[in-house]
Amino acid sequence: MADTPWARRRARAPSRLGAAALVLGFAAIGLAGTVANLAMLLPGGGWWAAIVRPDAGLPDQLLAAYSFAPRLVVSLLAGAALGLAGAILQQVLRNPIASPTTLGIESGANLALSAALIWMPGLLGFGREWVTLTGGLLTIAVVFLLSRRSGFAPLVVILAGMVAGLYCASLAALLALFESHYLAGLFLWGAGSLSLQGWEEPLFLAPRLGLAGLAAILLLRPLALLGMEDAQTRSLGLSVGMVRLAALLVAVALTAFVVASVGCIGFIGLAAPALARIAGARRIGPWMLASAATGAALLWATDQMVQVAAVISAQMIPTGAVTALFGAPLLLWIIPRLRLPPAAAGSLSVQLGQSVGRPGRRLLLLGGLLLLALTLSSLIGPTATGWSLALPGDPSSAWALRLPRALAALAGGTLLAVAGCVLQRLTRNPMASPEVMGVSAGAAGGLTVAIFLIAETSRLEQMLAASLGAFLALIVLLLAARVSKANPERIILAGIAIGALLDALVSVLMASGDPRAILLFNWMTGSTYGVDASTAGASLLAALVLLALLPLVRRWLGMLPLGEDTARALGVPLGAGRLLLLMIAAVATALATLLVGPLSFVGLVAPHAARLLGLRRPLSELYGAALIGAFILVTADFLGRTIAFPWQMPAGLVASMIGAPAFLWLLSRKQDLA
Amino acid sequence: MPSRRAVMLGGLSSAALPFPNAWGATARQGAVELRIVSMDFGLAETLIEMGLPPVALPDPASWTQWVVEPALPPGIVNLGTDREPNLEILAALKPDLIVTTPYLDAIAPLLARFAPTKTFSVYAPPVGHAFDRSVVATNQLAAALGREDAGEALIARTQACMDEARRHLAAAGLAGRPVLAVNFLDARHVRVYGAWSLFGDVLERVGLVNGWTQPSNYWGFSTVGIEALAASPASRLVYLEPIAADTLGRLAASPLWRSLPFVKAGRVIRLPAVLMFGMLPSAMRFARQLTLHLAGERNDG
């Protein structure tokens, strides 16, 4: 009766021993690291005395008492808070993907801090915690608002949360991009460094976390009942909405305190509850306790290892980014072992079947719109003296500078939209898209490795590295899908893990202050800057070839969404068809990522928009999405070049400014229809 | 220097209009001035000191936040960010020369489409002394402009400035004292300038000792938690503006910070902004600010 979500089907008796062993395992690593670090800091021993009564004349003792010890305590506190927050969120939303990270709470808090640092540094005088708390609360409020109509249905909340989180991350990236490269403090905070010089942070965290923990204990019984069907719960006299809201607030507060205190510590809130569940803690009370304990032990162990590594490498390594770096692969390992509920995506399923109205005319109209946007964007633009018309033929005309960028944006939008369409149909998952599934992240990761390992990279090498990365991400996804029989949620979860892995990698690189990281970051925002005519031409050609090939796979795209049995009955070679479609998606994503970066949202939004326009048959949906994707990015490129002239915003980032709200609007509309 | 700037103001005010036709119409009086676009603040300050200010810069508005001195002449065209300077403006400006750094190697071929582009290396691998490299780069820049005399004069001025600062600091009894130079990133982290940095080199040249001896990157800094400063023997710490509003208050609450020798001695000294990745003019500004605030032991911490 008081089970954690989706544990009921397991017949085995719950074994608390497993969870305890898990916690003890991490704690053992933490303890070993602690001993190692203390031995390096105070070789003469007398550790406890040094921490409790440091000799003010001995710097090493002061370091132990005011830096090492509070840092250890904060790692335990923050880990426990995030583990508990994750467990509460997962219980409330009945969703194993729920966590402070995937609901956008961390990103929102971080964005608020960035904005305050740049525009209202005076605000920080009141305390960073209020700024981050406001940011986290605002983000979750938006997520609630968007999912309110669905009665906080799990999938809708996660969708809104992920998109809101990515949106906040994009905005923070934009802010950072306009800041000079002289300051790296913003990135440091985002990467979650645990470096401390006193007991203020533990003293700040402890009472607040204590209060939130108390609230969690009070909510335990109502939360346990939430594990049941809504109707059952209601019949027991519980206001489902109120219980959820209260629990969510506790979880947000836990997260916001941690972000306010030490920054973003990625993935603990996702990994700890999941690990605890796998280890055998299934009744809600023990599970939450185990989640908190696992989180604490996990962060303790990670942070001690980070400190050992920092001594060896003589470089500061941000702990938060490292937890994400290790948390992501850990999650990939967990995914096939997770017990998931049957997909509850009724109102969000991909609508298939007959197109509404006359698809040909709609496609023609979309094509006309795209042509108009392309023409306007290359002909008109601001100059230092005002807007002017630039005509082709004039060699000094800005036309020659604008058209390649617009064409590159067009090609990127087309490719992403096609990739998104294929992935959504293939997985029958409305959340699927190259951005959300980590395929873009894989491409970006491949490029990152190339940039840091090879001194000079040509365009072709970059292309190869990006494709390789995208393929690698897809192979990991395929493996996850194979083990989990292509369960949509699992694929998305694997995608999130890959995306977080890239995020962590870039965070570590950014915090190091390596200027190449800033160039990489610049590229990751999706800029068409400096695209020359030949690159634009080649990209356009690639997009056109892809569009021309699409009719060949029409049959598979039409069949696969109907389900494996139907498809098999109709004689579709399942394995080959799926593999080919995935390869198409990977290549398209790799090409597009090189042009417009990994976070444009176009691959997620364009297919939805096409279906919304009534284009629901495979081919008309694909072509419609391609035209819409191209239109969004051409417009984004134009806006990026003009609205802040002479500053230029990257097209990919501007597209996400358009794409994310558009998607959220779509989301609330769909709830209305349902 | 001011007189030369005044002479040039006439030419520069027209430089504010990056409109192709305006250029043909504006006949330059006197000597033919090169129309230089600088992609880097360090190169720009060197150009200004040599009497050849650039016509355009990325984000000139942030000059007062990071460089301050030498003052930027009015009418400098904004190119946007340094990573992505606005090519349409660059095309309209029709510059004679673009000067850039290895940091922007990725866009150098792009810039070369609009004007001859020369790269000057101060902050680039392999690690080297920023001051010495700035001297070399200043000579190269002067040679590229055919103004070797102005380059030599600037180097001589810088040397004189270092010598003067050394005399003042020695007179104040500070010779050989270890000093830490940092920027606060937040209340928990600093960027500390090491042996290769411009600030580190200036500290040695004015007769002080850099209190940070750990290896740093080729920009000359290390990003560390404040507790790492405890390992330094420094008896003084200078920090540069800008600094976030809550940093000093939070630091004051930290027992570890309060236990650091320079904090206990009340020798935490605030300096106005100096470009940390600059060239010789920034070296001069840093030396002058050190003299002003250290020799006078004005304590703003």
Side-chain angles (χ1 to χ4, degrees):
Chain A
M1 162 151 194
D3 280 355
T4 61
W6 323 292
R8 266 169 277 164
R9 263 169 295 161
R10 263 202 185 180
R12 269 194 289 139
S15 76
R16 268 171 225 183
L17 214 62
L22 178 80
V23 173
L24 284 177
F26 284 123
I29 299 172
L31 193 66
T34 307
V35 169
N37 281 312
L38 275 172
M40 281 191 274
L41 188 61
L42 301 168
W47 299 342
W48 183 250
I51 288 169
V52 182
R53 285 181 305 277
D55 182 338
L58 296 172
D60 289 345
Q61 296 209 355
L62 286 170
L63 274 181
Y66 295 119
S67 182
F68 183 81
R71 177 171 180 163
L72 195 157
V73 173
V74 161
S75 73
L76 289 171
L77 285 175
L82 290 173
L84 184 60
I88 294 175
L89 290 170
Q90 294 185 7
Q91 176 71 12
V92 172
L93 304 173
R94 275 187 275 169
N95 193 324
I97 325 175
S99 80
T101 316
T102 46
L103 287 172
I105 305 169
E106 280 181 341
S107 307
N110 198 41
L111 172 64
L113 187 76
S114 303
L117 265 174
I118 291 170
W119 287 314
M120 289 171 287
L123 267 186
L124 299 179
F126 294 102
R128 268 162 211 265
E129 46 274 22
W130 295 109
V131 175
T132 49
L133 196 62
T134 313
L137 283 174
L138 275 178
T139 314
I140 200 78
V142 168
V143 173
F144 288 174
L145 213 64
L146 286 159
S147 46
R148 187 174 40 107
R149 281 208 194 85
S150 69
F152 304 115
L155 201 60
V156 179
V157 176
I158 282 290
L159 253 174
M162 273 169 43
V163 175
L166 284 166
Y167 190 59
C168 285
S170 304
L171 276 172
L174 196 63
L175 288 180
L177 203 63
F178 278 78
E179 270 291 274
S180 172
H181 62 265
Y182 296 134
L183 265 198
L186 290 183
F187 301 117
L188 221 54
W189 200 270
S193 159
L194 282 181
S195 177
L196 292 178
Q197 294 87 35
W199 285 94
E200 299 81 41
E201 300 305 342
L203 288 177
F204 164 85
L205 275 176
R208 286 165 178 81
L209 300 184
L211 273 181
L214 200 69
I217 292 172
L218 291 177
L219 281 167
L220 211 54
R221 209 187 119 71
L223 273 178
L225 295 173
L226 275 187
M228 303 186 298
E229 294 308 310
D230 281 1
Q232 263 180 289
T233 323
R234 224 173 272 123
S235 70
L236 287 169
L238 268 173
S239 165
V240 178
M242 282 312 293
V243 171
R244 279 184 176 159
L245 204 66
L248 283 168
L249 279 176
V250 170
V252 174
L254 282 167
T255 313
F257 292 142
V258 173
V259 176
S261 174
V262 289
C264 294
I265 311 282
F267 260 78
I268 296 281
L270 190 56
L275 284 172
R277 190 185 299 120
I278 289 165
R282 249 160 277 120
R283 292 176 57 84
I284 179 160
W287 176 56
M288 286 203 168
L289 191 68
S291 298
T294 307
L298 194 57
L299 191 53
W300 178 26
T302 312
D303 188 46
Q304 292 303 325
M305 290 301 132
V306 163
Q307 289 183 60
V308 172
V311 168
I312 293 166
S313 70
Q315 279 211 322
M316 204 194 66
I317 307 163
T319 308
V322 173
T323 59
L325 213 54
F326 289 119
L330 189 69
L331 193 70
L332 285 174
W333 178 82
I334 292 171
I335 289 163
R337 291 157 183 82
L338 266 183
R339 321 231 132 227
L340 280 151
S347 65
L348 280 167
S349 61
V350 178
Q351 294 155 10
L352 304 168
Q354 291 299 316
S355 289
V356 185
R358 275 184 263 178
R361 243 168 83 178
R362 286 169 197 221
L363 286 177
L364 220 59
L365 197 72
L366 285 173
L369 259 174
L370 175 63
L371 212 60
L372 188 72
L374 187 67
T375 314
L376 286 180
S377 112
S378 40
L379 287 189
I380 62 166
T383 66
T385 50
W387 285 71
S388 74
L389 196 66
L391 292 173
D394 176 4
S396 68
S397 164
W399 185 79
L401 286 173
R402 292 174 190 155
L403 188 63
R405 297 185 65 171
L407 286 178
L410 185 150
T414 306
L415 291 164
L416 275 180
V418 169
C421 242
V422 168
L423 290 176
Q424 285 183 9
R425 286 201 155 250
L426 196 63
T427 58
R428 281 175 291 162
N429 189 328
M431 287 202 281
S433 80
E435 296 94 345
V436 177
M437 293 177 73
V439 187
S440 293
L447 198 60
T448 307
V449 171
I451 286 175
F452 274 81
L453 292 189
I454 309 168
E456 298 270 313
T457 49
S458 70
R459 196 90 188 174
L460 187 71
E461 285 166 337
Q462 290 183 2
M463 176 63 224
L464 282 174
S467 297
L468 221 64
F471 272 126
L472 207 67
L474 263 177
I475 287 170
V476 172
L477 271 180
L478 275 175
L479 286 177
R482 179 177 286 263
V483 176
S484 51
K485 299 200 178 69
N487 181 313
E489 281 86 356
R490 282 168 211 233
I491 295 181
I492 293 293
L493 199 50
I496 296 170
I498 294 167
L501 193 64
L502 175 77
D503 246 27
L505 189 66
V506 173
S507 293
V508 172
L509 295 175
M510 292 296 300
S512 76
D514 191 316
R516 279 176 302 183
I518 294 166
L519 293 176
L520 179 78
F521 180 72
N522 195 40
W523 166 80
M524 278 189 47
T525 54
S527 170
T528 56
Y529 184 83
V531 170
D532 57 14
S534 60
T535 310
S539 313
L540 196 65
L541 193 70
L544 289 175
V545 167
L546 180 75
L547 289 181
L549 287 176
L550 284 178
L552 301 178
V553 294
R554 179 183 55 179
R555 207 168 115 79
W556 288 334
L557 275 176
M559 295 303 159
L560 282 175
L562 299 176
E564 296 197 2
D565 298 338
T566 320
R568 207 173 274 122
L570 288 168
V572 176
L574 259 184
R578 186 174 285 145
L579 192 69
L580 186 74
L581 289 175
L582 281 170
M583 275 167 64
I584 288 175
V587 173
T589 306
L591 275 168
T593 305
L594 277 179
L595 293 168
V596 295
L599 38 64
S600 71
F601 276 102
V602 167
L604 188 64
V605 173
H608 282 276
R611 285 193 293 272
L612 205 69
L613 286 175
L615 302 167
R616 286 176 195 161
R617 290 171 73 91
L619 268 193
S620 56
E621 182 189 317
L622 274 167
Y623 287 128
L627 288 170
I628 292 167
F631 176 77
I632 292 177
L633 266 173
V634 168
T635 311
D637 183 56
F638 175 70
L639 288 176
R641 279 186 286 119
T642 53
I643 48 179
F645 188 87
W647 307 91
Q648 296 162 98
M649 295 187 211
L653 214 53
V654 176
S656 77
M657 300 292 118
I658 306 167
F663 178 73
L664 293 176
W665 175 78
L666 259 162
L667 195 67
S668 57
R669 240 190 87 103
K670 272 182 182 287
Q671 292 169 44
D672 276 349
L673 293 174
Chain B
M1 196 169 66
S3 63
R4 165 166 268 152
R5 199 178 296 148
V7 170
M8 297 204 57
L9 279 180
L12 280 164
S13 56
S14 65
L17 306 167
F19 199 61
N21 294 336
W23 291 119
T26 315
R28 291 300 189 97
Q29 285 133 13
V32 187
E33 295 286 358
L34 278 172
R35 300 171 44 69
I36 308 165
V37 167
S38 171
M39 299 309 303
D40 175 72
F41 279 6
L43 290 169
E45 64 181 14
T46 308
L47 286 169
I48 294 171
E49 283 283 352
M50 294 198 299
L52 286 164
V55 293
L57 268 180
D59 195 12
S62 70
W63 186 274
T64 52
Q65 193 190 352
W66 296 108
V67 192
V68 188
E69 202 186 8
L72 203 59
I76 303 265
V77 175
N78 179 12
L79 288 174
T81 64
D82 58 351
R83 294 172 302 274
E84 300 197 342
N86 194 307
L87 297 181
E88 293 180 29
I89 289 189
L90 205 56
L93 276 171
K94 294 191 172 55
D96 300 313
L97 177 69
I98 299 172
V99 294
T100 176
T101 65
Y103 176 65
L104 298 177
D105 271 350
I107 59 163
L110 211 60
L111 299 175
R113 276 160 54 189
F114 300 92
T117 301
K118 288 209 159 70
T119 304
F120 301 91
S121 172
V122 176
Y123 300 96
V127 177
H129 282 286
F131 191 98
D132 297 337
R133 285 198 178 174
S134 293
V135 170
V136 173
T138 302
N139 273 326
Q140 289 170 340
L141 183 60
L145 303 171
R147 296 289 300 271
E148 287 87 347
D149 51 334
E152 286 301 336
L154 173 56
I155 294 165
R157 268 208 309 284
T158 311
Q159 197 48 56
C161 176
M162 296 299 136
D163 294 342
E164 200 193 334
R166 177 192 277 270
R167 274 197 306 279
H168 273 107
L169 289 167
L174 294 171
R177 296 290 166 87
V179 175
L180 281 169
V182 305
N183 268 108
F184 283 106
L185 297 177
D186 55 43
R188 297 190 282 133
H189 303 90
V190 289
R191 181 185 275 178
V192 54
Y193 296 95
W196 309 105
S197 69
L198 190 68
F199 294 167
D201 287 346
V202 170
L203 285 175
E204 303 293 336
R205 276 180 168 67
V206 299
L208 300 168
V209 170
N210 191 348
W212 188 254
T213 51
Q214 306 280 318
S216 45
N217 59 17
Y218 64 79
W219 294 81
F221 68 84
S222 309
T223 301
V224 295
I226 280 164
E227 69 274 5
L229 299 181
S232 165
S235 54
R236 279 169 181 76
L237 176 136
V238 296
Y239 66 92
L240 292 117
E241 294 172 0
I243 177 168
D246 63 341
T247 304
L248 291 176
R250 291 176 76 109
L251 279 174
S254 157
L256 185 62
W257 170 254
R258 290 199 308 265
S259 80
L260 293 172
F262 40 85
V263 182
K264 275 202 289 207
R267 293 197 181 112
V268 175
I269 297 129
R270 183 179 189 127
L271 298 186
V274 181
L275 186 61
M276 60 287 260
F277 307 130
M279 291 172 61
L280 297 182
S282 287
M284 285 197 277
R285 177 170 163 81
F286 186 61
R288 282 194 295 265
Q289 295 297 340
L290 274 178
T291 317
L292 192 66
H293 291 89
L294 276 185
E297 205 76 271
R298 287 218 329 242
N299 188 341
D300 298 306

